[in-house]
Amino acid sequence: DVKVTQSSRYLVKRTGEKVFLECVQDMDHENMFWYRQDPGLGLRLIYFSYDVKMKEKGDIPEGYSVSREKKERFSLILESASTNQTSMYLCASTQNSPLHFGNGTRLTVT
Amino acid sequence: DQQVKQNSPSLSVQEGRISILNCDYTNSMFDYFLWYKKYPAEGPTFLISISSIKDKNEDGRFTVFLNKSAKHLSLHIVPSQPGDSAVYFCAASVGTNAGKSTFGDGTTLTVKP
């Protein structure tokens, strides 16, 4: 079974802080993704990566960056956290289809 | 412009009856559709998918129907069980690269014993 692990279930950060969300998958998947989930907006794609050191913008990349130094690890970075980045963040991986999601990180920015 | 819409935020059905969850899309390039189920405090898990070359796909109690001309798909759960209570997300993609799926808002299904 595919396991996608997100390092934190809950995070509380202050406005302006730099925030790192970590994600690790154990199935040697090429593709990894970061989504955020907000009420009434569904899941929206922030960034994705098809290979180590490769990254592509999703639908809402503003205010975020990512890092993929190893195949199994995909990090989401909030350079300067803002209150509108309070959300549920979901990491996912896949070789092709379907997506395998982690359990999410609930981030609150105060 | 929301390309995938689930117009019913919630649905409540009695155990043993049929649950029908609906999804509409606007982008005619979408040719692969998936349903995910999400329990509280867990990530979404894949449930069932359908390619545009089919109009129906069945997996146990779950059946997905696709009406390409209407740009509409639906998920049927028969019979519904209390354990099916969850949020259901419809997703659509161009090709089977499901990672770049566009998701709907989700429908919260409650199955009452």
Side-chain angles (χ1 to χ4, degrees), chain B residues 41-59:
Chain B
E42 294 183 12
T45 55
F46 169 71
L47 191 56
I48 193 169
S49 63
I50 188 167
S51 165
S52 61
I53 61 173
K54 291 185 171 183
D55 53 17
K56 176 182 173 182
N57 189 27
E58 194 170 352
D59 183 2

Side-chain angles (χ1 to χ4, degrees), chain A residues 18-35:
Chain A
K18 191 168 185 175
V19 181
F20 293 86
L21 303 183
E22 306 288 348
C23 175
V24 177
Q25 51 96 2
D26 65 357
M27 283 301 292
D28 204 36
H29 284 165
E30 300 282 346
N31 311 311
M32 297 189 73
F33 305 83
W34 277 104
Y35 283 86

Side-chain angles (χ1 to χ4, degrees), chain A residues 9 33 35 37 40-43 45 48 50 90 94 96-99 101-103, chain B residues 2 32 34 36 38 41-44 46 89 96-101 103-105:
Chain A
R9 293 301 299 269
F33 305 83
Y35 283 86
Q37 181 194 357
L41 296 175
L43 278 68
L45 182 61
F48 59 101
Y50 288 141
L90 292 161
T94 185
N96 188 18
S97 178
L99 288 167
F101 285 91
N103 283 337
Chain B
Q2 197 165 7
Y32 188 61
L34 308 94
Y36 292 86
K38 184 182 184 300
E42 294 183 12
F46 169 71
F89 289 99
T96 57
N97 186 349
K100 287 199 69 181
S101 293
F103 283 80
D105 295 348

Side-chain angles (χ1 to χ4, degrees), chain A:
Chain A
D1 237 9
V2 178
K3 192 166 177 68
V4 179
T5 303
Q6 294 183 232
S7 54
S8 304
R9 293 301 299 269
Y10 300 95
L11 276 178
V12 180
K13 297 291 180 181
R14 292 187 182 272
T15 301
E17 278 193 78
K18 191 168 185 175
V19 181
F20 293 86
L21 303 183
E22 306 288 348
C23 175
V24 177
Q25 51 96 2
D26 65 357
M27 283 301 292
D28 204 36
H29 284 165
E30 300 282 346
N31 311 311
M32 297 189 73
F33 305 83
W34 277 104
Y35 283 86
R36 63 179 279 179
Q37 181 194 357
D38 299 289
L41 296 175
L43 278 68
R44 293 179 293 165
L45 182 61
I46 305 171
Y47 264 99
F48 59 101
S49 168
Y50 288 141
D51 202 352
V52 174
K53 296 198 185 293
M54 290 183 65
K55 59 184 180 183
E56 291 196 37
K57 293 179 180 179
D59 299 319
I60 51 163
E62 297 79 17
Y64 303 94
S65 62
V66 290
S67 171
R68 189 140 181 232
E69 295 296 318
K70 293 185 178 181
K71 191 174 187 179
E72 67 271 18
R73 186 179 296 271
F74 192 36
S75 303
L76 180 69
I77 303 157
L78 286 67
E79 296 289 343
S80 177
S82 63
T83 54
N84 63 11
Q85 292 178 311
T86 291
S87 186
M88 169 68 81
Y89 289 88
L90 292 161
C91 175
S93 73
T94 185
Q95 192 56 33
N96 188 18
S97 178
L99 288 167
H100 301 269
F101 285 91
N103 283 337
T105 296
R106 170 76 63 186
L107 173 67
T108 301
V109 182
T110 60

